[in-house]
Amino acid sequence: SISPMNRILLLAAIFNIVTFVLIFLISEKFLKLYSVKDRTWLYIGLLWLATISGGVYWLDTANSRNLEVVGGLLLIYLALKYIKNRGRPILALICITSGLVFFADSLMLYVCALGIIIYLLGRLIMMRTKKEAETGATLIFALLVGYLIAHSLFFIANKYLAVSFINAPRSEIG
């Protein structure tokens, strides 16, 4: 039988391995999106990330914080993909992904959504085309839908699962 401490460490290691693999896969998608052939610097950067991961990742507890970062990267990738190739399936994925990411970590509203919106505004200012305006408005609308999905998930969790995201957990020890 595995001790509780070893189970937590094993689960944390699994979370971190999954996080690293997903960061690698999404990074590959970024390069493919922009037709970057030479991936040497990506591999060097990921090797560096792997060597310092003990200080970057939360290794001492099994939590989803690292996976939330992956969700944020995925959201940014989907937004950039939508800008290049507008389509409803990508837009639906943006709504779902943003809803899940904003539910898992509401700070991603500021970290990812705000960054995407500033990028869209910058593109609009530089290009000043109707297509850019429509793309930006549609993406912002998708992020708002994701925000509403996140709030719906909060409501469901609070009402039906009796989970409170505001109150601190009760201590069962001692």
Side-chain angles (χ1 to χ4, degrees):
S1 175
I2 300 175
S3 73
M5 178 58 105
N6 288 338
R7 272 188 259 162
I8 289 175
L9 290 174
L10 179 64
L11 188 57
I14 290 169
F15 267 101
N16 292 320
I17 289 168
V18 168
T19 297
F20 187 80
V21 168
L22 291 174
I23 288 173
F24 173 79
L25 293 174
I26 293 171
S27 298
E28 287 272 330
K29 292 277 192 185
F30 274 105
L31 294 180
K32 184 178 177 186
L33 181 66
Y34 290 99
S35 303
V36 176
K37 303 280 187 240
D38 184 11
R39 296 172 180 203
T40 305
W41 288 106
L42 170 66
Y43 299 145
I44 290 171
L46 288 172
L47 178 64
W48 172 77
L49 182 60
T51 60
I52 65 165
S53 64
V56 175
Y57 296 154
W58 293 25
L59 288 177
D60 56 343
T61 58
N63 65 58
S64 64
R65 175 68 58 199
N66 302 329
L67 293 175
E68 292 162 5
V69 171
V70 170
L73 279 175
L74 179 61
L75 179 58
I76 292 168
Y77 166 74
L78 290 171
L80 292 173
K81 185 171 182 174
Y82 181 77
I83 290 169
K84 283 193 80 137
N85 307 320
R86 297 186 334 171
R88 288 187 183 171
I90 297 171
L91 204 57
L93 282 173
I94 290 170
C95 291
I96 294 167
T97 302
S98 62
L100 292 174
V101 167
F102 300 158
F103 171 70
D105 184 0
S106 57
L107 287 176
M108 287 296 178
L109 276 165
Y110 306 105
V111 174
C112 293
L114 188 59
I116 291 168
I117 291 169
I118 290 170
Y119 178 72
L120 291 169
L121 291 174
R123 283 180 60 94
L124 180 61
I125 290 168
M126 291 178 67
M127 296 185 182
R128 298 178 190 228
T129 65
K130 183 178 179 183
K131 181 181 177 188
E132 287 299 321
E134 289 172 353
T135 300
T138 305
L139 262 174
I140 291 171
F141 179 76
L143 293 172
L144 287 173
V145 169
Y147 179 76
L148 293 174
I149 290 171
H151 267 281
S152 299
L153 292 172
F154 276 121
F155 175 77
I156 291 167
N158 282 324
K159 182 158 178 93
Y160 298 108
L161 301 177
V163 174
S164 175
F165 295 97
I166 295 176
N167 298 330
R170 288 178 287 154
S171 175
E172 303 296 329
I173 300 174

